Amino acid sequence: MERSTRVSVFESDKQAEIQLIKSKLDDAQIKNAIENNYLTFTTTPTATSLKVMVKLEDEKKAFDVIDAYLQQNEN
């Protein structure tokens, strides 16, 4: 079984924001997964950081989708 390298393309502590980015990547047919990590220093122990992970070979395409979304919603 081939194991592929996954990389983080977006991080946030806001569930709604993570879901929106996940949806944009799904629409672009980029397989992705959400990982949940506890934040350590400078935060409360209950705070979490969510990461959207994609395959390394999909990283550039994922960043293009995310950048387009962020630019669109900047105004």
Side-chain angles (χ1 to χ4, degrees):
M1 188 167 125
E2 184 180 323
R3 181 177 166 98
S4 62
T5 302
R6 294 188 323 156
V7 293
S8 174
V9 291
F10 190 79
E11 295 182 32
S12 177
D13 58 355
K14 298 179 180 122
Q15 179 74 31
E17 193 172 41
I18 289 289
Q19 285 301 130
L20 192 58
I21 295 298
K22 179 175 181 17
S23 174
K24 295 288 183 190
L25 294 175
D26 287 343
D27 290 347
Q29 298 179 340
I30 300 171
K31 286 189 176 185
N32 62 84
I34 296 174
E35 286 189 3
N36 188 359
N37 295 324
Y38 285 102
L39 297 176
T40 52
F41 60 93
T42 73
T43 62
T44 60
T46 57
T48 57
S49 172
L50 301 169
K51 295 181 180 182
V52 179
M53 308 291 289
V54 301
K55 289 183 180 179
L56 182 60
E57 55 267 23
D58 292 333
E59 182 181 29
K60 182 180 181 341
K61 188 177 175 187
F63 277 132
D64 290 344
V65 170
I66 294 167
D67 286 345
Y69 164 74
L70 293 175
Q71 287 177 10
Q72 176 186 353
N73 290 296
E74 196 173 80
N75 299 330

